[in-house]
Amino acid sequence: RKEVEQDPGPFNVPEGATVAFNCTYSNSASQSFFWYRQDCRKEPKLLMSVYSSGNEDGRFTAQLNRASQYISLLIRDSKLSDSATYLCVVNIGSGGSNYKLTFGKGTLLTVNP
Amino acid sequence: DVKVTQSSRYLVKRTGEKVFLECVQDMDHENMFWYRQDPGLGLRLIYFSYDVKMKEKGDIPEGYSVSREKKERFSLILESASTNQTSMYLCASSLPVRVAGDQDTQYFGPGTRLTVL
């Protein structure tokens, strides 16, 4: 099983649609979880952290299921500007020298007018 | 705002040349990272450093070395460039995670697209 696995897409949705991305991770010791966004030909940027209780930021909702080792991102009311690649990111350590983030390969989203 | 800069956006080199990629961050971050990103393979960690003069191998260190002489600067070196090192190279920095709950968000530079002919 790959360390962090995502559906590569592409997802093509109309404006206003709701779209969900899923991600699984293999290491049950993983401590922190993120969604990053990467626009075409740009660097990745943090979209949101993912907490056990789930968290919401405007139209974006992230959820974590530790038992199933599964992370999700829900985007409501999609905008054209949401078109990007969404990267699922996991850190297996919470201290010491383990600073490594493991990135999924990303899911490409295109929102169409 | 955190700023991570990389010395070049685009670079073209010949096989066998020694190549230096420079990265500078202005937020006094202890941790710095070098990744390469290739279509279908995602982001892969080459090396990282958690302190001045400290370095650790990432997942694909072969053919690369790094240097961290100052806290703000992390250099990636291709000793003898090869065509399979043609890629997008991304530098990142972050604060250390000292206790659970610390943010380990990584901030990326704009990337250097390296072509080796």
Side-chain angles (χ1 to χ4, degrees):
Chain A
R1 187 176 179 183
K2 292 177 185 172
E3 286 188 293
V4 179
E5 199 154 3
Q6 298 180 245
D7 181 342
F11 283 60
N12 286 285
V13 302
E15 267 186 294
T18 296
V19 60
F21 304 134
N22 302 318
C23 170
T24 56
Y25 59 95
S26 60
N27 193 322
S28 59
S30 299
Q31 294 290 330
S32 51
F33 310 88
F34 309 90
W35 285 100
Y36 275 66
R37 171 195 168 126
Q38 187 172 21
D39 293 307
C40 187
R41 300 187 183 279
K42 299 279 191 179
E43 72 273 21
K45 291 184 179 177
L46 178 69
L47 177 66
M48 59 198 303
S49 302
V50 187
Y51 303 115
S52 296
S53 53
N55 48 301
E56 192 172 306
D57 182 3
R59 298 180 293 107
F60 298 83
T61 301
Q63 296 212 304
L64 167 65
N65 183 321
R66 284 189 184 272
S68 303
Q69 294 178 207
Y70 168 94
I71 306 158
S72 65
L73 177 68
L74 184 77
I75 305 176
R76 289 181 300 279
D77 188 22
S78 301
K79 311 289 184 194
L80 295 177
S81 58
D82 294 335
S83 297
T85 296
Y86 291 83
L87 303 168
C88 175
V89 185
V90 174
N91 186 343
I92 66 167
S94 63
S97 63
N98 198 331
Y99 310 115
K100 277 178 56 177
L101 296 182
T102 301
F103 288 78
K105 292 180 183 177
T107 299
L108 177 62
L109 171 67
T110 301
V111 180
N112 301 303
Chain B
D1 268 359
V2 176
K3 192 158 186 191
V4 181
T5 56
Q6 295 183 227
S7 49
S8 307
R9 292 301 301 272
Y10 299 93
L11 208 52
V12 180
K13 295 291 181 181
R14 298 212 172 270
T15 302
E17 279 192 78
K18 190 169 186 176
V19 181
F20 293 87
L21 302 182
E22 304 285 339
C23 175
V24 177
Q25 49 92 7
D26 66 357
M27 284 303 292
D28 204 35
H29 283 173
E30 279 88 342
N31 304 332
M32 295 188 76
F33 307 82
W34 274 107
Y35 296 89
R36 63 178 283 177
Q37 188 173 31
D38 301 285
L41 297 177
L43 273 156
R44 293 181 291 167
L45 182 65
I46 304 171
Y47 266 97
F48 66 104
S49 168
Y50 52 89
D51 203 350
V52 175
K53 297 192 186 294
M54 306 302 288
K55 60 185 179 184
E56 282 197 29
K57 292 180 180 179
D59 301 317
I60 52 162
E62 296 79 20
Y64 303 94
S65 61
V66 290
S67 172
R68 187 129 181 241
E69 296 296 318
K70 292 184 177 181
K71 191 175 186 181
E72 68 270 19
R73 188 179 296 270
F74 191 35
S75 302
L76 180 70
I77 303 151
L78 287 66
E79 294 290 342
S80 177
S82 62
T83 54
N84 63 12
Q85 293 179 309
T86 292
S87 186
M88 170 67 85
Y89 289 87
L90 288 155
C91 175
S93 71
S94 74
L95 288 168
V97 176
R98 294 196 174 95
V99 297
D102 271 4
Q103 271 297 327
D104 47 358
T105 305
Q106 289 188 13
Y107 298 87
F108 284 84
T112 296
R113 188 166 291 280
L114 172 67
T115 302
V116 183
L117 302 175

